[in-house]
Amino acid sequence: MKKYLKEITIKEFKTLKNKHFKLSNKLNVITGANGTGKTTLLESIIYAFKENVVCNFDVRPFDRDTIDTTMILNDGTTINKKSNSRIEDLVIFVLDNCGCDLPQNKIKKYAEKLKKESKHNQIILATYQQEIIDIADNIIKL
C-alpha cells in the first residue's frame, strides 16, 4: 500500500489557525484568493515531510517555534511538527502555481500529465485557476 498524507490539522502556522484538511491520494487542489494561505499550507507539508517532498519553490523563512501542526498518513502514522527522518514509501509532489515556470495555459496539461503518469504517491497543487480545479480529485478551499 502506497502511503499518502490523509489529514492535516494546523493549530497555528503563519496565517493559518485552527484549520483541518482532508486529502486524497491523487490530485489535491488548494484554491483561494491571494493571501488566504495556499502557499502557507504547502509550506507546512514541506516542513513536516522535507525528505519526502518534491516541490517547485523554496520555503520562505519562518520561526520554526511557531509551527503547531499534526499530519496523519493513511496508515495511521502521525507526525507532529516535523518528521525527523525519511518515511519509507512516501513521495508527495507539491506545486505552487504562482511559483511555476510554466505559462498559465500549460498548467492544466502539466497537472493532467502528473496525475496520469506520476510516480509520486500524491500531488498537492495550489492554484486559483478554475480549469485546474475542474480536474481535481479533492478541492481544498481557503
Side-chain angles (χ1 to χ4, degrees):
M1 171 177 65
K2 284 189 172 184
K3 293 180 186 176
Y4 67 92
L5 180 56
K6 183 178 174 184
E7 294 181 50
I8 302 171
T9 300
I10 297 178
K11 186 172 180 184
E12 184 172 4
F13 181 57
K14 295 186 178 184
T15 59
L16 296 176
K17 296 183 181 14
N18 299 317
K19 301 283 185 184
H20 183 80
F21 308 100
K22 291 188 176 186
L23 294 93
S24 84
N25 64 332
K26 295 184 181 166
L27 177 60
N28 297 272
V29 175
I30 304 164
T31 183
N34 285 341
T36 56
K38 296 182 300 295
T39 301
T40 298
L41 181 53
L42 295 179
E43 289 174 330
S44 73
I45 296 165
I46 293 166
Y47 178 67
F49 299 105
K50 185 175 182 176
E51 298 297 318
N52 297 86
V53 172
V54 177
C55 67
N56 72 324
F57 67 99
D58 293 324
V59 176
R60 296 173 286 191
F62 61 92
D63 180 0
R64 296 195 187 288
D65 293 333
T66 64
I67 188 169
D68 191 353
T69 63
T70 302
M71 311 276 174
I72 301 174
L73 301 180
N74 62 315
D75 68 354
T77 301
T78 299
I79 304 295
N80 292 308
K81 295 194 178 192
K82 183 178 179 183
S83 170
N84 292 323
S85 60
R86 179 166 172 68
I87 296 171
E88 204 61 39
D89 299 322
L90 175 69
V91 182
I92 303 171
F93 188 89
V94 174
L95 179 65
D96 190 344
N97 190 16
C98 299
C100 189
D101 293 335
L102 292 171
Q104 295 297 319
N105 62 347
K106 304 272 186 185
I107 297 288
K108 180 180 179 185
K109 287 182 181 179
Y110 184 61
E112 287 174 328
K113 182 179 178 181
L114 280 174
K115 187 176 171 179
K116 288 178 186 173
E117 302 173 8
S118 179
K119 294 178 184 175
H120 306 96
N121 302 38
Q122 183 174 39
I123 304 164
I124 304 170
L125 168 69
T127 189
Y128 53 84
Q129 292 186 325
Q130 185 62 44
E131 59 270 16
I132 296 173
I133 295 167
D134 292 341
I135 65 167
D137 296 294
N138 183 46
I139 300 170
I140 298 169
K141 294 182 181 181
L142 293 178

